[in-house]
Amino acid sequence: MKAAQLYGIDDIRVEDIAMPEILDPHQVRLKVDAVGICGSDLHNFRTGQWMSKLPMVPGHEMTATVIELGSDVQTLAIGDKVVADSRVWCGECPACQQQRYNHCQALAFVGEAFAGGMSEQVVLHEHQLLKVPSDLDADIRVLSEPLGVSLRVIKQLQATTGELVYVAGGGTIGGFAALMLQDIFKHPVQLSEPNQTRFDKLSALMNLSQQPQPFHFAIDATGIPSVINQLIAQIEPGGRIALVGLPHHNNSIDILSVVEKEITLVGCSVFDGEQHEAIAYLAPLKDKLKSLISEPLSLDDIPQTYAKLCQGGVDYLKAVIHPNQH
């Protein structure tokens, strides 16, 4: 079976690997229809920070078709279209006991704790799979997870109805959050994105505020400390900033201004039930989402695509791999 494997920092290879031949009772074998490259995949490629072992097949944003069921699987049938809930929780810590799985003390992810979706097939546990409408294209179904993360950010932000929201970063999460803020939640949006083509693509889909305006609510989807400090400097006193960007290096944040202006900084970690909720938004947003993703890419394209994404050399918001496309 063909797959991409991460061997270490800046080292990802496409090769043939073996698949488990026998399923555990609650496991499901899947043919991977599409898998997205996430910012956390790139973070692991650059730092190796969250990998439990190497080499490892990455890829947690995936949609697939059920092709084999373990003996005790009750909720799925052969041929079902599914997406992965990629969270891997311990089930024992206080957060898990309260079913706050995204706060699990040992939280890990598919593609880090065990093999992910950058392969022709993958085996996952039944409880990690959510059914999705079969009439949606694979490259729309695969967006349920980043859309769920974006929805989590919006919920954490708690913006007052109708208030302007400033979004820093027009990549996947920032762009999807901006789209949902305007189309679903009816907020005016101001967006900053240095990649002009990306900005233009988003501007074509939304009525973005063109002139700088005062703002009380903001989202940072960059993870860049200097951008966060700029938001802290510009936001109105008493404002609220949702942080979802992943920094590759930690530098100082202007805590003095946070204190003096009574700014609330709120972290946004993956999602709780938002991925399941986001599935309902895929169909109404599908035409706009389609315009923000890459042309279909194959497994062989992964090393080159990782390099381009790390260099910021792409104009789309989401790279989508079709592992069974040859």
Side-chain angles (χ1 to χ4, degrees):
M1 177 190 68
K2 196 172 185 179
Q5 290 207 103
L6 182 67
Y7 275 81
I9 294 173
D10 295 335
D11 185 2
I12 190 165
R13 310 174 197 174
V14 179
E15 55 195 7
D16 287 324
I17 65 171
M19 270 291 290
E21 294 185 5
I22 300 174
L23 298 182
D24 290 342
H26 287 282
Q27 286 184 325
V28 179
R29 192 185 307 276
L30 305 163
K31 184 184 82 170
V32 181
D33 299 323
V35 58
I37 299 178
C38 176
S40 60
D41 293 318
L42 300 180
H43 184 79
N44 283 326
F45 180 66
R46 288 172 165 177
T47 69
Q49 180 177 0
W50 296 316
M51 307 306 293
S52 63
K53 63 179 182 178
L54 294 171
M56 175 67 73
V57 178
H60 57 272
E61 296 178 0
M62 76 180 87
T63 184
T65 302
V66 175
I67 58 174
E68 185 183 350
L69 301 172
S71 58
D72 291 342
V73 174
Q74 301 294 321
T75 61
L76 296 167
I78 301 295
D80 280 348
K81 302 296 184 184
V82 296
V83 293
D85 177 344
S86 64
R87 298 170 299 170
V88 181
W89 57 82
C90 72
E92 298 177 357
C93 71
C96 285
Q97 292 300 306
Q98 298 172 35
Q99 297 186 341
R100 294 185 291 109
Y101 299 122
N102 63 316
H103 296 156
C104 172
Q105 293 175 359
L107 186 65
F109 292 89
V110 173
E112 297 171 0
F114 50 82
M118 291 189 191
S119 58
E120 293 174 324
Q121 295 182 15
V122 68
V123 171
L124 294 179
H125 194 281
E126 176 184 17
H127 80 260
Q128 293 179 294
L129 300 171
L130 305 173
K131 285 196 282 191
V132 289
S134 59
D135 59 347
L136 288 174
D137 291 343
D139 52 8
I140 297 299
R141 284 187 265 126
V142 76
L143 302 178
S144 72
E145 180 164 325
L147 210 63
V149 173
S150 299
L151 183 57
R152 178 69 176 178
V153 174
I154 292 168
K155 286 188 175 183
Q156 290 286 86
L157 183 63
Q158 298 178 5
T160 305
T161 302
E163 283 267 8
L164 171 76
V165 178
Y166 187 103
V167 179
T172 305
I173 303 305
F176 286 8
L179 185 61
M180 295 183 78
L181 280 164
Q182 190 161 105
D183 277 32
I184 306 298
F185 298 101
K186 309 306 178 186
H187 286 278
V189 174
Q190 190 166 339
L191 176 78
S192 60
E193 166 53 49
N195 183 313
Q196 189 62 46
T197 304
R198 275 185 174 182
F199 182 85
D200 291 344
K201 283 188 175 185
L202 289 165
S203 295
L205 302 179
M206 294 180 283
N207 182 25
L208 293 174
S209 174
Q210 298 298 314
Q211 298 299 321
Q213 298 180 42
F215 57 92
H216 197 81
F217 297 96
I219 293 169
D220 174 70
T222 71
I224 301 172
S226 61
V227 174
I228 298 170
N229 282 333
Q230 188 174 16
L231 292 177
I232 290 169
Q234 293 176 344
I235 200 167
E236 294 177 324
R240 186 176 178 91
I241 304 173
L243 304 175
V244 66
L246 298 175
H248 300 301
H249 304 284
N250 290 321
N251 294 314
S252 60
I253 300 297
D254 185 4
I255 298 300
L256 178 61
S257 292
V258 172
V259 172
E260 291 181 339
K261 296 175 71 174
E262 291 193 333
I263 295 167
T264 300
L265 302 178
V266 57
C268 307
S269 179
V270 205
F271 45 78
D272 186 7
E274 288 84 5
Q275 183 183 15
H276 191 274
E277 295 175 50
I279 291 171
Y281 295 129
L282 290 172
L285 293 175
K286 65 179 182 180
D287 292 337
K288 291 185 176 181
L289 292 171
K290 189 85 169 178
S291 70
L292 299 175
I293 64 177
S294 68
E295 292 296 318
L297 301 167
S298 71
L299 286 173
D300 289 329
D301 294 319
I302 287 176
Q304 182 181 17
T305 303
Y306 263 60
K308 287 181 178 179
L309 290 168
C310 288
Q311 295 163 6
V314 301
D315 297 330
Y316 47 77
L317 273 65
K318 173 62 64 177
V320 176
I321 309 298
H322 293 249
N324 285 284
Q325 171 182 291
H326 302 291

